[in-house]
């Protein structure tokens, strides 16, 4: 049974620490990671920063001791997609992809740490990864563990049962249509709550969705 782990690791024990420290406010998000050979990690990484930091970012990535063969694939003005090779301090990633046969579903690096969501094929591979981290002094602070098949889909986005119900009911009744097919008062009646409670519930649900999908790595309740 697949197991998903959400956790954090310091950039100093992962990758791109020097670039994160050198380019103020830069944020990295992994698009996908491939391991074409044992011990080799080639991520596709989105970098977001102010548009006037583009040259500084390029220099920092070229000088970063954890990267090699950095290639820019897309330029959106204040976001850039890079393909690169990680050559140092990526033992955790190599272990997850090669030894544990895991999948890095999300990974965001900002400030001085990386936030990751990793899918392991079973609990044994997760246990082996925990032992690997302990043996090799690789810090990885686990925030959440859940079984993929057993966990409701809402849990992947930090939603409570009530928030999930409110979002789905609002969608099914046309609350998000333009123009709306149902008013806030009517939707609140459908959910048997007050209009104020509905507004607060939807607002918290929106924030959780944004934090788990757009501003990944922030847990907003």
């Amino acid at each position: 049974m697949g197991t998903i782990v959400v956790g954090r690791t310091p950039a100093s024990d992962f990758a791109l620490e020097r670039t994160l420290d050198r380019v103020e406010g830069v944020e990295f998000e992994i698009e996908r990671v491939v391991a074409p050979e044992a011990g080799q990690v080639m991520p596709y990484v989105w970098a977001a920063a102010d548009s006037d930091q583009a040259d500084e970012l390029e220099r920092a990535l070229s000088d970063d001791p954890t990267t090699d063969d950095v290639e820019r694939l897309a330029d959106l003005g204040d976001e850039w997609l890079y393909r690169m090779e990680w050559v140092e301090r990526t033992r955790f990633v190599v272990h997850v992809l090669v030894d544990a046969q895991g999948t890095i579903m999300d990974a965001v690096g900002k400030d001085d740490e990386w936030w990751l969501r990793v899918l392991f094929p079973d609990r044994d591979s997760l246990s082996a990864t925990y032992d690997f981290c302990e043996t090799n002094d690789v810090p990885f602070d686990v925030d959440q563990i859940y079984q993929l098949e057993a966990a409701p889909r809402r849990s992947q986005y930090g939603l409570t049962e009530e928030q999930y119900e409110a979002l789905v009911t609002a969608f099914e009744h046309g609350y998000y249509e333009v123009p709306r097919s149902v008013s806030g008062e009517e939707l609140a009646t459908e959910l048997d709550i007050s209009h104020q409670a509905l507004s607060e519930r939807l607002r918290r649900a929106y924030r959780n969705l944004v934090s788990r999908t757009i501003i990944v790595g922030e847990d907003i309740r």
Side-chain angles (χ1 to χ4, degrees):
M1 180 178 293
T3 301
I4 292 179
V5 174
V6 179
R8 291 162 289 111
T9 188
S12 58
D13 290 278
F14 196 69
L16 299 175
E17 177 196 15
R18 184 173 298 180
T19 302
L20 285 165
D21 181 63
R22 182 171 164 181
V23 183
E24 184 177 0
V26 67
E27 180 174 325
F28 294 103
E29 181 174 357
I30 293 179
E31 178 77 14
R32 65 188 180 97
V33 183
V34 295
E37 299 177 5
Q40 185 179 21
V41 178
M42 296 183 63
Y44 290 72
V45 183
W46 282 101
D50 291 337
S51 58
D52 59 0
Q53 294 177 292
D55 292 340
E56 182 184 6
L57 176 62
E58 293 275 323
R59 291 191 296 269
L61 287 172
S62 297
D63 295 340
D64 198 301
T66 64
T67 65
D68 196 8
D69 294 330
V70 179
E71 179 183 2
R72 187 173 65 190
L73 303 178
D75 183 347
L76 303 183
D78 57 359
E79 287 186 307
W80 305 270
L81 177 63
Y82 291 95
R83 179 175 59 202
M84 63 186 71
E85 182 180 349
W86 282 350
V87 296
E88 290 184 9
R89 295 205 303 264
T90 56
R91 292 175 299 168
F92 176 76
V93 179
V94 171
H95 171 83
V96 167
L97 296 176
V98 179
D99 299 329
Q101 298 183 332
T103 300
I104 297 178
M105 302 175 69
D106 295 297
V108 172
K110 59 182 178 180
D111 298 328
D112 59 354
E113 71 175 5
W114 281 82
W115 175 96
L116 301 101
R117 185 156 60 106
V118 183
L119 171 62
F120 292 96
D122 49 48
R123 297 287 293 199
D124 289 342
S125 59
L126 171 58
S127 297
T129 299
Y130 177 81
D131 292 340
F132 170 85
C133 291
E134 287 286 303
T135 301
N136 293 277
D137 294 322
V138 176
F140 184 64
D141 296 327
V142 175
D143 295 329
Q144 187 179 10
I145 300 177
Y146 54 90
Q147 301 299 122
L148 182 60
E149 291 84 350
R153 287 184 61 82
R154 62 175 174 80
S155 66
Q156 298 182 32
Y157 304 107
L159 298 173
T160 66
E161 184 176 352
E162 291 79 10
Q163 291 168 1
Y164 179 83
E165 179 188 16
L167 288 173
V168 172
T169 303
F171 180 83
E172 291 176 343
H173 285 73
Y175 184 72
Y176 303 116
E177 299 295 331
V178 180
R180 286 176 173 169
S181 302
V182 64
S183 68
E185 290 80 3
E186 292 169 331
L187 183 59
T189 299
E190 177 69 24
L191 291 167
D192 196 26
I193 58 177
S194 69
H195 183 256
Q196 180 179 353
L198 171 66
S199 178
E200 292 176 355
R201 188 172 298 179
L202 288 176
R203 191 160 57 247
R204 291 192 180 97
Y206 299 152
R207 296 184 71 191
N208 281 341
L209 280 175
V210 170
S211 72
R212 293 299 180 95
T213 58
I214 300 176
I215 310 175
V216 183
E218 294 186 13
D219 188 13
I220 303 173
R221 295 293 181 181

